[in-house]
Amino acid sequence: LEHKVIAKKKLENGIAIEWFEKGQGEQLNNEDLVEIDYKVKLKNGEIVDGNHLLKKESLPFLIGFGMQTAGWDIALKQLNVGDFARILIPSELARGIKGIEGVIPPNADNLLFIRILSKVKPTREIDGNKVWILEENKKNKLKFDENREITFHTMASSPTNQNFVNTFRSNTAFTFKLGDQGIVPGLRKALINAKKSDRMFVLIPAKEAYGTKGFMDFVKPNESVFYNILV
């Protein structure tokens, strides 16, 4: 099905956006969580990614933290809630010279077909730390507090360093108690009342993370930190 293009825009970096529908919602910005319905195609028409491949009607996406390739974070900030667009992402802002073996060839441009369904407000917020509960097992009644320890897997990203921690890959989950030292203050606050099997996104502002010092080469000074968590 060929859609009618009603507007076009090309950025200096080679990203080209064609709108099929223009939404009336808010413009998208860094640190917005949006619900999206998308497909990624190669120029030969082959579909290589999309929420339908996971049998999901949509997926959450936090802008500005490298959840996909660099071109996504750049392009989405040109969109508004309700937009339906086709976005050409040149290979250097996609998977580049490496590609993904068996899926995306080297130096392949990507075509992203995306509909911005909504911005998602945090489930809870404390001292600027935002928590989105994406999946919750409501049968679980035990909550993380000063009397219990918590064990969780996470991928942690800063705007300049994607997945500088990935316990899913290493298969070594974190375990800590509220009183333990060395925990990012905002993460401690965000995890209070978390329950086993909760899947959540957590966004910690710089002042509640690593502040003006940053963290080694992973987090620059004054950067927020994003945690994708499974308790």
Side-chain angles (χ1 to χ4, degrees):
L1 178 65
E2 188 61 33
H3 299 280
K4 181 181 178 181
V5 175
I6 62 171
K8 296 182 179 182
K9 186 173 188 177
K10 186 164 185 178
L11 307 184
E12 291 182 357
N13 53 27
I15 290 175
I17 305 171
E18 297 178 318
W19 280 267
F20 305 129
E21 297 175 20
K22 280 270 196 175
Q24 300 302 310
E26 298 175 70
Q27 185 170 355
L28 307 188
N29 295 294
N30 281 334
E31 302 192 355
D32 283 341
L33 183 68
V34 291
E35 199 71 23
I36 60 172
D37 179 13
Y38 77 97
K39 291 179 183 177
V40 178
K41 294 184 179 181
L42 302 180
K43 284 195 169 179
N44 64 6
E46 181 183 357
I47 298 173
V48 294
D49 192 12
N51 48 278
H52 69 291
L53 296 179
L54 299 173
K55 295 182 169 50
K56 301 278 190 180
E57 291 187 4
S58 62
L59 286 174
F61 184 87
L62 187 67
I63 298 172
F65 289 86
M67 286 191 72
Q68 287 272 3
T69 60
W72 279 62
D73 286 327
I74 296 168
L76 262 63
K77 287 182 285 185
Q78 302 293 322
L79 304 183
N80 289 57
V81 175
D83 282 1
F84 177 33
R86 174 173 56 205
I87 302 170
L88 172 66
I89 301 177
S91 63
E92 58 269 24
L93 293 172
R95 297 295 176 180
I97 194 169
K98 293 182 178 180
I100 298 178
E101 187 174 356
V103 181
I104 299 177
N107 302 312
D109 295 342
N110 286 185
L111 282 171
L112 168 62
F113 292 76
I114 190 165
R115 189 183 294 273
I116 310 298
L117 302 175
S118 63
K119 279 190 185 182
V120 185
K121 292 181 178 180
T123 310
R124 58 179 180 259
E125 187 170 351
I126 178 169
D127 296 338
N129 303 292
K130 297 177 180 179
V131 180
W132 292 269
I133 304 296
L134 306 177
E135 295 176 14
E136 180 182 10
N137 186 341
K138 294 185 177 180
K139 293 180 181 178
N140 292 331
K141 301 301 181 185
L142 289 179
K143 297 180 178 181
F144 175 54
D145 57 26
E146 63 274 8
N147 299 314
R148 297 180 179 87
E149 66 180 17
I150 190 169
T151 299
F152 62 94
H153 277 291
T154 188
M155 292 181 287
S157 301
S158 67
T160 54
N161 200 333
Q162 179 189 14
N163 293 344
F164 64 84
V165 170
N166 188 340
T167 67
F168 294 96
R169 185 182 300 146
S170 64
N171 199 29
T172 307
F174 288 128
T175 297
F176 72 83
K177 296 178 180 178
L178 266 179
D180 288 352
Q181 300 299 309
I183 307 301
V184 168
L187 184 59
R188 180 187 284 109
K189 295 175 184 178
L191 286 173
I192 292 173
N193 293 326
K195 305 192 304 295
K196 183 179 179 181
S197 300
D198 280 356
R199 180 170 171 256
M200 60 179 70
F201 283 178
V202 175
L203 182 61
I204 309 297
K207 64 182 178 62
E208 292 278 313
Y210 297 102
T212 57
K213 293 182 178 180
F215 175 56
M216 300 174 64
D217 294 328
F218 302 123
V219 182
K220 291 184 177 179
N222 300 311
E223 281 192 329
S224 302
V225 181
F226 163 51
Y227 296 88
N228 183 345
I229 291 173
L230 174 63
V231 180

